[in-house]
Amino acid sequence: MTTQPTPKDTPRGAWTITFLLFLYMVVNFADKIVVGLAGVPIKTELGLTQEQFGTLGSSFFLLFSISGIIVGFIVNSVQTRWVLLILAVIWALAQFPMIGSVSFATLLICRIILGAGEGPAFSVAAHAVYKWFPDEKRTLPTAILSQGSAFGVILAVPALNWVIVNHSWHHAFGALGIVGLLWAVAWFALGKEGPLVPSAATAASEPKISYWKLLTSRTFVGCVVSTFGAYWALSLGLTWFTSFIIEGLGFSQQQAGFISILPWVFGATIVILTGWISQLMLARGFTTRGARGVLGAAPLVVGGCVLATLPYVAPGGLMIALLVIGSGLCGSIYVVCPPMLGEFTPVSQRGAVIAIYGALYTISGILAPMVMGGVIQHAGSPMAGYMIGFSINAAILVGSGVLGLLLLWPNTERARLTGTSQPDRAIKGAVSPT
């Protein structure tokens, strides 16, 4: 007779699924980085202005948020394994038109389609992995999932940059399409739905909370605002970092490819440390206010202060180091927000809430590349424009981090939403929502 996993057990196969979803996020971010990595060759071949290139970077996020919300509600009732498979196939197919001669309009349309397919990616993957881990064990798998972004860039940049330098940027897109199809085949063969889902009786008895209350709760708002600032920095990194290294600092395309890895290596370290420290704090009795809220928001303030010093140092290695550190510290917030939302959101509503959270904070992905492009276009020099753009980023990071520190109180959120009296507590004393 098979013993059913208790809420605090991790089912067999959980880490295999986590690894597959980690690879899913690797492909996801490799797809995102390719336009920024090939920015200078694309601008040269297509004759794009800085503003047009900023628009191209933003186009990826045009349907990103909308599709995230729609798919978020779909996964409340449809198995995540099939949704993840369909999304991966869309990513792959959106890359192939760029293999041949392509116009700016075609490139723009393909990036919009790719963005629509990738918009729900992290939210659906997080929802899927939470079906394999109880609440008190979710921070580390969330950190690993988030690492897909860093490793997607770390692994893809050298390979894609080699293709760009030795062949063309067109072939780089084709390579990503093939990799996307390979992941889809692997997931079709090995992907499974997690067992930690409520039974029909449990789901029927689980109290629902109105979406209005969930989406206006201070912790939800705090997660959106704080991650909005972090994603502003990430969007600039995806679209403009390599161009800055080449146009602002004078490095070659080949040199810029290696330098472009640095923010992601540092960011990967921050994400893993955040996940490990958070679970260690929870195990030692800290409330999730401290082990998730403060731990995630405080680095945004520090990162913004670091970026604010950029205009006051000489161009070169120190400027790159400050940009790497300031941007990389933002990774902490991605690790802690989905688990915080899972603390107080009923399981039957969790997929939609996490997806709406993702859809809202990624609006900064539309704004940040366009703002930077416009600033560079109208500044006295490219370097001056980049410095103004990074200063704007610094102010947004500090503001979002401060608001996060004020608003993130997940440990008492469910009691406030349900109107019950509940003491402030650590997660290890809570009942897992799964």
Side-chain angles (χ1 to χ4, degrees):
M1 182 176 179
T2 303
T3 303
Q4 292 297 319
T6 63
K8 292 195 176 185
D9 288 335
T10 300
R12 183 183 298 274
W15 290 107
T16 300
I17 295 299
T18 302
F19 177 69
L20 285 171
L21 292 176
F22 163 80
L23 293 179
Y24 181 75
M25 296 307 299
V26 167
V27 177
N28 179 282
F29 268 78
D31 289 346
K32 285 184 175 74
I33 194 67
V34 65
V35 163
L37 185 64
V40 173
I42 289 173
K43 284 187 281 187
T44 301
E45 181 177 324
L46 300 183
L48 305 183
T49 65
Q50 302 285 17
E51 283 185 315
Q52 285 177 312
F53 185 69
T55 300
L56 177 63
S58 296
S59 68
F60 176 85
F61 296 97
L62 190 62
L63 298 179
F64 196 91
S65 298
I66 296 172
S67 67
I69 293 173
I70 293 172
V71 175
F73 279 97
I74 290 174
V75 295
N76 278 345
S77 55
V78 177
Q79 287 193 347
T80 53
R81 63 176 301 208
W82 300 117
V83 175
L84 290 164
L85 179 65
I86 292 170
L87 293 177
V89 171
I90 291 172
W91 305 355
L93 297 180
Q95 306 290 0
F96 291 121
M98 268 75 77
I99 294 177
S101 179
V102 64
S103 66
F104 176 59
T106 301
L107 183 55
L108 204 66
I109 291 169
C110 288
R111 294 300 287 180
I112 292 172
I113 294 171
L114 179 66
E118 294 199 351
F122 182 76
S123 300
V124 176
H127 184 53
V129 87
Y130 289 174
K131 295 181 181 181
W132 290 90
F133 293 89
D135 191 35
E136 69 276 6
K137 296 182 180 180
R138 287 176 184 161
T139 309
L140 186 56
T142 303
I144 293 171
L145 202 61
S146 299
Q147 279 310 285
S149 62
F151 279 87
V153 177
I154 293 168
L155 297 174
V157 164
L160 293 175
N161 202 53
W162 182 88
V163 174
I164 292 167
V165 171
N166 293 281
H167 297 280
S168 75
W169 61 269
H170 299 276
H171 290 87
F173 282 90
L176 288 173
I178 293 171
V179 171
L181 288 179
L182 289 174
W183 185 90
V185 171
W187 181 254
F188 181 76
L190 302 173
K192 297 177 182 178
E193 201 74 4
L196 297 185
V197 293
S199 64
T202 302
S205 63
E206 182 186 40
K208 297 291 191 297
I209 302 174
S210 75
Y211 279 105
W212 174 254
K213 283 187 175 181
L214 289 169
L215 302 181
T216 57
S217 65
R218 67 182 183 184
T219 299
F220 180 87
V221 173
C223 280
V224 170
V225 171
S226 54
T227 317
F228 180 95
Y231 211 77
W232 189 287
L234 185 145
S235 302
L236 291 184
L238 290 170
T239 306
W240 286 105
F241 185 83
T242 304
S243 291
F244 168 68
I245 298 300
I246 297 172
E247 297 173 339
L249 300 182
F251 289 89
S252 68
Q253 177 72 41
Q254 188 169 10
Q255 291 170 323
F258 290 106
I259 296 171
S260 296
I261 299 174
L262 298 178
W264 304 92
V265 173
F266 182 73
T269 304
I270 292 298
V271 168
I272 289 294
L273 279 175
T274 301
W276 177 73
I277 292 171
S278 177
Q279 292 207 172
L280 184 63
M281 291 174 69
L282 292 174
R284 294 189 175 183
F286 283 82
T287 66
T288 52
R289 156 69 178 165
R292 289 174 176 170
V294 175
L295 185 65
L300 297 178
V301 179
V302 177
C305 292
V306 171
L307 289 182
T309 65
L310 280 175
Y312 306 102
V313 301
L318 179 57
M319 184 173 283
I320 293 173
L322 292 173
L323 189 55
V324 166
I325 294 170
S327 301
L329 286 171
C330 303
S332 59
I333 198 68
Y334 301 111
V335 183
V336 296
C337 274
M340 281 194 285
L341 297 177
E343 283 185 56
F344 60 86
T345 303
V347 176
S348 61
Q349 298 171 275
R350 186 178 62 205
V353 168
I354 294 177
I356 293 169
Y357 151 72
L360 292 175
Y361 78 70
T362 52
I363 291 173
S364 62
I366 300 175
L367 300 175
M370 285 196 300
V371 169
M372 180 67 93
V375 168
I376 297 171
Q377 183 78 26
H378 299 289
S381 67
M383 188 62 171
Y386 280 113
M387 290 301 100
I388 295 171
F390 289 132
S391 295
I392 293 170
N393 188 190
I396 290 171
L397 278 178
V398 172
S400 64
V402 169
L403 287 173
L405 290 172
L406 294 173
L407 295 172
L408 295 174
W409 291 83
N411 51 313
T412 56
E413 196 70 80
R414 192 175 184 98
R416 286 194 297 272
L417 291 171
T418 57
T420 59
S421 176
Q422 182 176 325
D424 192 14
R425 52 169 172 71
I427 197 68
K428 68 177 184 178
V431 176
S432 171
T434 55

